[in-house]
Amino acid sequence: MNPTTESNFSFLEEGFSARDVIEQKINESSSTDDRDAFYVCDLGDILKKHLRWTRALPRITPFYAVKCNDSRSVVTTLASMGTGFDCASKTEIQLVQSLGVDPSRIIYANPCKQVSQIKYASAHGVQMMTFDSEVELGKVARYHDNAKLVLRIATDDSKAVCRLSIKFGAQLKACRGLLEKARDLGLDVVGVSFHVGSGCTDPQTYSQAISDARCVFDIGAELGFDMNLLDIGGGFPGSDDVDLKFEEITSVINPALDKYFPVDSLVKIIAEPGRFYVASAYTLVVNIIAKKVILDDDNASDDEDEGTTDRTNMYYVNDGVYGSFNCILYDHAHCLPLLHKRPKSDEPLYPCSIWGPTCDGLDRIVEQCTMPDLQVGDWLVFENMGAYTVAAASTFNGFQRPDIYYVISRPSWNHVERISSEGIHAPDECCLQELPVHCGRERLVEMPNKPPQSVV
Ligand SMILES: Cc1ncc(COP(=O)(O)O)c(C=O)c1O
C-alpha cells in the first residue's frame, strides 16, 4: 500500500481499508522503540454516516455539532457534503467560516454566550442563535444587529447517558413569558430547539419534545411570531454497538414530525448531530509501555510466572484519561480494546486492568477485563473513538496527543465530490454497499462477569 498524500489526508489504494493502514503503521513502528499511540480516521465512514442520515431522516438537515470533534479534516469533509454546523463559541465559528461555509449554515447553539462573542457573531453574519432566558434576550437585543433567535426548551433527558437539560432549556411554562419579552424587545424568534441528552436511550424523549415544540410554536403564533425552524438537537448513537440503534430512533422521530410539523407546515427542520457522524470513523491504537503482575498472594512481580492463572496483569499504555480517554470521565464512556495480536485458540485468559501513562491513580482505562498474557510492546486497538475524545484531550504530564492519520478511498472521495457539486441524491442500499467498510476483528476482551468468548 502506498497512500497518496493530498491535503491532510491520504488516499487508500484500491482494495485497501483503514484497517490496512493501521497494520502498516504498526509494522513501521514495531521495528523501532518509537511505538507512540496513533489514530486512523476513515473519512469514508463519515460519508457513509451522511448517506445513512439522509436516507433515514430525509426532512432533516444536519448541522454537525463541532464540539464533538473539531478536526479540520472532519469539518472540511462535512462542509463539502453541504451540512450545516452547530457552533458553541467564537473559535468554532472561526473554524467553520475559515472553510468558506456561509453564515446561513451556522447555528450558534449556545444559550449562554459571552457578550464579545455575540458581537463577533453579529459582525460575521451569524444570525441563528439559541436562548433560554430573559437575560440572554437582553444581551442579544443590545449586541446583535439582526439575530434570528431559537428558543431552547428543556427535555426529560433523565434516561440519557449525558444529561444537558439540567443546564440548558426553558421549561414549557416559562416559554410564553420569554416570547413576550422577545416581542417587547423587538427581537425575531424564528423557532424552537431542544436536545434530548447525548447518548439517548429512550426515543420517546424525541416525540415528547417535538410535541412540546409544537405548543411553543402555537404560543409564538398567538404572539405574532412567524416561526419556521425546528431544531431537534443531537443524541444519536455513533455506532451500532449500542442497544438503541439509529434507525430505531428515526422510526419514532419521523411520524412525530409528520404529526406535529407536517411537510405543508413549511417549517424547516434541522438537527445537531455530533457523535453520530464521527464516533465510528476513528480507531485508536495504543502500545503497552509497562506491565505489572500481581500474584494472588499479593506479591507484585515483574517476572512472568508462566502457567499460573492466579494473578492479575496490570497493563500501562501510552494514552489515558488525560488524553483520548477523557471520554471515560466526561462522556461516561466504557472503552474495551481489541487485541492486535491474534492469540492461539487455547491461550489462557487472565484478569487484568488497563491504565494510562500519567502519574495519577485516576488514570485508569479499564478496571477489569480478561485478556491473554500480553507483553510490553504489544498493541491494543480501540474502535469508535471519534466522539468527545481528541476534542478534549490534554497533554497533562507531558504526554502528547496521538497523531491522527486521515484516509479515504477513491470511490468515497469521488462520492463526496459528487455530493459537493451536485447535491445529494436519495442514496440506496447498493450505493452504501459499494463503499469500503471497516473489517471486523476478533474481540477477545471481556467485561467482568461474562464468560470469555470470541466474537468475529
Ligand atoms: C447544543 C448541543 N447540540 C448538539 C450536541 C451534540 O450531541 P450528540 O453528540 O449527542 O449528537 C451537543 C452535545 O453536547 C450540544 O450540547
Side-chain angles (χ1 to χ4, degrees), residues 277-350:
Y277 270 100
V278 286
S280 57
Y282 281 65
T283 303
L284 173 64
V285 186
V286 301
N287 197 256
I288 297 175
I289 56 171
K291 171 182 179 182
K292 200 157 64 178
V293 179
I294 310 292
L295 299 176
D296 251 7
D297 60 5
D298 271 348
N299 287 332
S301 158
D302 291 333
D303 295 332
E304 298 300 310
D305 186 6
E306 296 295 341
T308 174
T309 53
D310 300 336
R311 65 185 193 186
T312 300
N313 291 331
M314 295 174 71
Y315 296 108
Y316 300 77
V317 300
N318 47 8
D319 198 354
V321 302
Y322 286 93
S324 304
F325 294 99
N326 70 80
C327 56
I328 293 172
L329 302 183
Y330 298 141
D331 195 34
H332 310 283
H334 298 280
C335 302
L336 267 183
L338 306 173
L339 300 177
H340 170 250
K341 209 165 64 181
R342 180 179 276 270
K344 296 188 212 90
S345 56
D346 57 350
E347 213 164 319
L349 299 172
Y350 298 91

Side-chain angles (χ1 to χ4, degrees), residues 32 47 54 84 88 140 164 231 253 266 270 306 374 414 448 455:
T32 70
L47 163 68
T54 51
V140 173
L164 299 172
D231 174 357
I253 289 176
L266 300 183
I270 68 170
E306 296 295 341
L374 302 176
N414 293 340
V455 182

